[in-house]
Amino acid sequence: MTRWTQRPEGSNWGDFGPDDQLGRVNLLAEEQVLKGVREVRAGKVFCLSLPLDLPGGMVLNPRRKPPRLAATERDGVPYMNFPMENLDATSIDVLSDDQVTLSLQYSTQWDALAHVGAQFDVDGNGQPRKVYYNGYQAGADIPDAPAHAEGAHCCDHGTSFGAKKLGIENFAVKGMQGRGVMVDFVRHFGHGRTLIGYQELAAILKSDNIQVEAGDMLVLRTGFAETVLEMGGNPDGDKLHNSGAVLDGADTQLLNWITESGIAAICADNYAVEAYPARSEGKKKSLLPLHHHCLFKLGLPLAELWYLRDLAEWLSANQRNRFLLTAPPLRLPGAVGSPVTPIATV
């Protein structure tokens, strides 16, 4: 059964095959990995993740709770500093074992292609339906949540929760490794709120002599995550919402550049990558037009809340902007987002 008879204007649905679940991530092929490896000259490694308990609280998103660590238990006994002699009198071992309850997009993260869909007339009959990249259907390929969230576990076989298509595990298997290209908005605009459209981006690419090629992962330093880090887990919502550069998702010239550049992903250190809500108008519109363009139309993943200052400063000091980027998400079947600990190697 064909999932769609018409695809959104400007989309690449079907270009990588009728059942594709990777979108532009397909461009992270062997040669792209080798391009990243060729950028390794100093052997220096940078961790691009915030501590996963940041930003702290729920100011940025009231749906997403901070992680909660707890000990695993057996027969009601927590296994933290647990003397194994309680089980075997001859043992000298002490065991600690824990678990976490975590909103998968609370901190440094990847968005899966099942994260944002749209209502679109895939059948060409004037009746929009809820669909995702490549026409995968809400309710069938990406099931609704059960009435009682406690009643199903995402990875239990036979339960309905979790994306059957476009889940984050597809990126994990692919590996998410290739060449990263840094664009440092902080060097040009500081830490204040700045709306970045095509003109601003193009000017920086020219002034900083940055070459972006098909298959590259575009990495954007806005300074937002640095502000989060400085707040030490007690975020000031008003200050954060006025901090750092954001892409102008309503700038059609910028969206066209994303399409034509052939980039495989956009990785940013801010929240949402783009300005929210966007300045777009219309009776029916996307509140997140960059997400709509990238995740829904192109299958181009977005990453948020990365930590980029140390890498950006080293690259600037060494007159470089390219590096090997390795950033696989959790291989968690059905998840629509994932924490990630990205590593840049220079």
Side-chain angles (χ1 to χ4, degrees), residues 14-72:
D15 289 0
F16 295 105
D19 299 317
D20 175 56
Q21 297 185 58
L22 288 175
R24 289 271 276 265
V25 173
N26 282 287
L27 301 180
L28 295 177
E30 288 86 350
E31 180 55 34
Q32 199 61 31
V33 175
L34 291 174
K35 286 181 181 179
V37 170
R38 293 184 194 115
E39 297 296 334
V40 179
R41 305 168 202 167
K44 190 172 179 60
V45 171
F46 293 88
C47 172
L48 307 184
S49 175
L50 287 169
L52 290 184
D53 59 350
L54 294 182
M58 298 171 66
V59 168
L60 284 184
N61 191 320
R63 297 190 312 273
R64 298 173 182 170
K65 299 178 181 179
R68 293 180 58 189
L69 279 172
T72 58

Side-chain angles (χ1 to χ4, degrees), residues 330-344:
L330 297 177
R331 191 176 181 178
L332 181 58
V336 302
S338 172
V340 59
T341 303
I343 295 295

